[in-house]
Amino acid sequence: MNFEVRPIRADEWPAVKALRLRSLKDPAAPVAFLDTHEAASARPDSFWQERAAGSSDVSGAGGALQFVAEAADGTWVGSVVMLIEEAGTTDWAGFPVERRQGHVVGVFVLPEWRGGPVTKALFDAALEWAWGRGVEAVRLIVHEDNPRAQGFYRKAGFVPSGKVVPLEGREEEKELEFVLGKPA
């Protein structure tokens, strides 16, 4: 299983769209993503072009960088996005951001590539980029009913912060914040 992890390029928006749509068809999608295949499929190409442009600038000027794992044949087999959240702002769930931090979102690996080194390599690249941007910590939000993801995140060093994020329109469900402090 030969692959390379790298940041996306803005002109790769069709591949960004295709991988995202594939991720939203995964059986774990209802507990892994806050988006649906139906909603994402209905978005115009301009949305995907802007999304790719906004998450392809390695300087971090856009506040996000998407990494892909690309197989030797050019197939994208996984992806992760690292957002940079600034202290003093409010996050997507309405919570105040207390420190400059990274926020991992959009984690997806094709089923046939799961359980191997792809996810770790994606996380390593995203974390290295975030630490290089001066974040104090990195966080992610994971559904309470997603034990496979929670297991990987714990193995990667993330620990539950105790913060619970309610899901709009799905009040009986919860998402949990996991955090990773900056290495010494």
Side-chain angles (χ1 to χ4, degrees):
M1 290 206 277
N2 230 355
F3 67 94
E4 170 193 3
V5 172
R6 63 172 179 81
I8 66 162
R9 296 184 311 270
D11 66 346
E12 294 178 308
W13 69 266
V16 169
K17 177 182 178 180
L19 188 62
R20 179 63 172 180
L21 292 178
R22 181 150 184 203
S23 74
L24 293 170
K25 283 187 171 182
D26 190 272
V31 296
F33 305 111
L34 297 177
D35 201 1
T36 66
H37 187 270
E38 293 164 339
S41 296
R43 293 187 181 106
D45 286 347
S46 60
F47 170 87
W48 300 102
Q49 292 163 351
E50 290 171 24
R51 184 176 182 140
S55 60
S56 63
D57 182 355
V58 296
S59 74
L65 191 60
Q66 181 173 356
F67 293 87
V68 293
E70 184 175 20
D73 67 0
T75 302
W76 284 12
V77 299
S79 179
V80 65
V81 178
M82 180 67 77
L83 308 175
I84 303 294
E85 298 175 326
E86 298 295 341
T89 62
T90 302
D91 72 9
W92 62 273
F95 291 107
V97 177
E98 298 172 4
R99 61 188 171 208
R100 181 178 172 88
Q101 62 192 14
H103 186 159
V104 176
V105 298
V107 179
F108 178 70
V109 174
L110 297 180
E112 60 272 25
W113 287 78
R114 292 178 189 157
V118 171
T119 311
K120 181 181 181 330
L122 285 165
F123 265 70
D124 287 350
L127 289 168
E128 180 181 340
W129 180 77
W131 300 136
R133 302 292 150 313
V135 301
E136 296 176 41
V138 174
R139 73 180 185 140
L140 54 84
I141 310 295
V142 60
H143 196 281
E144 64 184 343
D145 293 331
N146 196 345
R148 181 183 181 118
Q150 287 183 39
F152 172 80
Y153 301 146
R154 287 177 195 274
K155 188 175 176 181
F158 287 80
V159 296
S161 71
K163 186 182 286 185
V164 176
V165 180
L167 288 168
E168 187 175 325
R170 296 168 24 192
E171 286 74 25
E172 69 284 355
E173 299 177 49
K174 295 177 188 66
E175 294 206 314
L176 312 172
E177 180 186 67
F178 279 53
V179 296
L180 176 67
K182 189 170 186 169

